[in-house]
Amino acid sequence: MFERLEAIKKRNDIITEELTKPEVISDVSKTTKLSKEQADLSEIIECYNEYLKAKKEYEDAKELVNDPELGSFAKEEEENQEKRLKELEKKLEILLLPKDPNDDKNIIVEIRGAAGGDEANIFAGDLYDMYVKYAEQQGFKVEEIDSTPGASGGFAEISFMVKGKGAYSKLKYESGAHRVQRVPATESQGRVHTSTATVLVMPEVDDVDFKLDMNDVRIDITRSSGCGGQGVNTTDSAVRLTHIPTGIMVYSQTERSQIKNKEKGMKILQARVYDLKMKEQEKELGEERRSKIGTGDRSEKIRTYNYPQNRVTDHRIGFTTNSLDRVMNGKLDEIIEALITEDQKRKLAGE
């Protein structure tokens, strides 16, 4: 581990030197990549420097343990620094785990009402509200991209962006089928129904990671449909984008400006094509680790929200909390931290 840490420290020094060279400064793409790599290493280096400092203080205290005047103080300091070293070693082990390159990115989320008709759409709306509240508590910004309202409330489908450093690292485990058990507002007999809504979380993709070939994209301009304020239905501002090789289609109409709708639509299309390519690559190369928390597919049942018992259960890790009311109010930290901890545990075990 310490050989790796020394190598990382050396690599950081090389990057610092590279970033001062005129030929690198003039190359925006190279500067961006090097700066990102250095930013990714910064937390490890900071922790390693803390470790080296604690190690020096531990060794200094150890030398003074038998000193007649400073012995008792040195012994206490030795024990404190030994404990600190163990804590820092554990932290370094976690920091050295392979980092998801998408962790710091903004995300694009798609929620759809699935099995359960109107109640599924209402639940899709509840999930959207839950994520908006969570994002606000984390200091993230939410920007709606497109939506299709449900006939009785909620959404048949809604897509939105969550902007903020670390958004993907927090919400990447949310992809899958979310199941709700409750008495729907439309149920006259008071019977508990089960409905589902699906969630897909994708990292925002920039051109450095993946660039769409615009020759593969068909752009159709149409008139916006549905309610959306004065003038929304009187201009040809809606944009439908189709990625011809994969058949992926994106419709964007929330803005009155055709240009803005196209920009928003392109972000979703780029993210969806990238997501598909990454999943295909994982499958071909056999890189789908057993340690991965879930497959990330819409079809995988990941969580149940039981209203009568005020209970939420995440089936992937067997985690249950009896605070559904808090969860639906955006208090997702307990579940998300449990998922992150389990993910780290599996990786450390070499699964």
Side-chain angles (χ1 to χ4, degrees), residues 19 21 28 41 48 71 114 161 196 208 229 264 269 296 308 342 344:
L19 287 170
K21 293 178 179 177
V28 177
L41 298 178
Y48 185 41
M161 182 175 280
T196 57
V208 175
K264 283 187 172 184
L269 187 64
E342 179 63 22
Q344 290 173 347

Side-chain angles (χ1 to χ4, degrees), residues 1-2 4-5 8 43-52 84-97 348:
M1 181 173 82
F2 294 104
R4 280 184 68 195
L5 288 165
I8 287 168
E43 193 177 359
I44 297 172
I45 289 165
E46 188 180 322
C47 187
Y48 185 41
N49 286 335
E50 275 188 58
Y51 177 86
L52 293 174
R84 178 75 176 137
L85 284 171
K86 285 177 182 175
E87 289 171 356
L88 288 167
E89 272 187 42
K90 190 175 180 182
K91 187 178 177 181
L92 283 166
E93 279 183 351
I94 291 169
L95 288 172
L96 286 172
L97 288 171
L348 284 169

Side-chain angles (χ1 to χ4, degrees), residues 198-229:
T198 63
V199 176
L200 179 63
V201 176
M202 301 169 287
E204 182 187 18
V205 183
D206 53 42
D207 290 343
V208 175
D209 299 315
F210 171 69
K211 191 167 185 174
L212 272 177
D213 184 348
M214 291 309 295
N215 292 320
D216 291 337
V217 180
R218 187 175 72 242
I219 303 172
D220 298 305
I221 308 301
T222 65
R223 187 153 292 183
S224 297
S225 60
C227 52

